[in-house]
Amino acid sequence: YTNDCYYQCYFYMADTTLLRPALQVAVAKNFPTYKTFIRIERDVTHHAYHDFLYPTQEMQEYMADQKVILQLRQAGDNLRDPHKLEHFLYFADKQAREKFMNYARAEGFTVERQMKYDRKWELPFELRIYKTQMVDVESVNKTTKALRKMAKELGGQYDGWQTAVIK
């Protein structure tokens, strides 16, 4: 974890008896110009991990968007041109899906497909919408964050996005 020009490492282990001298040697050998401060404390509930280190739901969603964009780049997409981004959503009933479609259209999206699955799913009403936009993590995340929020308000679920590679 890096913050405010400090590099912090967290380790969870059962026995810390020889930890301090081992860390001092490792840091001195690999980072001789670094000033070190080592604090060892018990965290049996893993509070630091769960409440500080582990990414929030919002951060996980940002990382998911980032991952798709990285995959596009690795596939040879230069990401300079706008892309048709398709978004997938699911709702418990037709009325919630209709309300979302009205919201999406007002935000410049086009409804591409509506389906109802016959299986006994909790959210059987699928909606696929799209919008052409630039593909950078800030723009995409702004879009997906808004779609997730509205879907959640209507009892639905946002299930991600896709686009074609443009070379």
Side-chain angles (χ1 to χ4, degrees):
Y1 171 76
T2 306
N3 183 30
D4 199 23
C5 297
Y6 289 97
Y7 180 70
Q8 301 176 22
C9 296
Y10 290 78
F11 302 95
Y12 282 90
M13 49 191 41
D15 184 4
T16 61
T17 307
L18 301 174
L19 180 61
R20 185 180 304 277
L23 286 174
Q24 288 170 328
V25 167
V27 171
K29 178 181 176 186
N30 295 294
F31 306 99
T33 61
Y34 284 33
K35 187 190 290 187
T36 61
F37 171 75
I38 298 171
R39 182 175 77 196
I40 298 172
E41 59 184 62
R42 293 181 62 89
D43 185 10
V44 294
T45 62
H46 295 170
H47 167 74
Y49 177 76
H50 294 296
D51 298 338
F52 179 65
L53 295 172
Y54 195 79
T56 63
Q57 183 64 36
E58 190 172 309
M59 183 54 71
Q60 289 178 46
E61 292 161 359
Y62 183 92
M63 291 162 57
D65 291 337
Q66 200 172 36
K67 181 179 179 181
V68 174
I69 292 169
L70 177 62
Q71 290 169 340
L72 289 168
R73 193 173 283 128
Q74 289 172 337
D77 196 321
N78 63 25
L79 305 175
R80 283 190 297 229
D81 299 317
H83 288 54
K84 176 184 172 184
L85 269 66
E86 296 175 283
H87 302 271
F88 302 88
L89 302 107
Y90 297 90
F91 297 91
D93 56 57
K94 191 174 182 176
Q95 293 79 10
R97 183 176 66 188
E98 288 289 332
K99 286 179 183 177
F100 190 92
M101 284 192 302
N102 291 335
Y103 161 79
R105 286 183 181 118
E107 293 297 317
F109 290 89
T110 300
V111 173
E112 186 167 59
R113 183 173 110 175
Q114 303 173 54
M115 277 190 67
K116 181 187 185 291
Y117 292 98
D118 293 331
R119 297 186 189 115
K120 301 277 185 209
W121 287 352
E122 192 175 318
L123 303 171
F125 290 85
E126 181 190 66
L127 176 63
R128 186 182 301 178
I129 60 174
Y130 72 88
K131 187 177 191 178
T132 300
Q133 69 173 79
M134 293 305 294
V135 181
D136 62 85
V137 73
E138 298 304 325
S139 301
V140 171
N141 189 251
K142 181 178 178 183
T143 299
T144 60
K145 188 175 178 180
L147 296 176
R148 278 185 184 93
K149 181 180 181 208
M150 181 54 73
K152 187 175 181 179
E153 286 177 18
L154 295 171
Q157 178 180 329
Y158 178 84
D159 196 40
W161 62 276
Q162 69 180 18
T163 190
V165 173
I166 300 175
K167 292 186 178 187

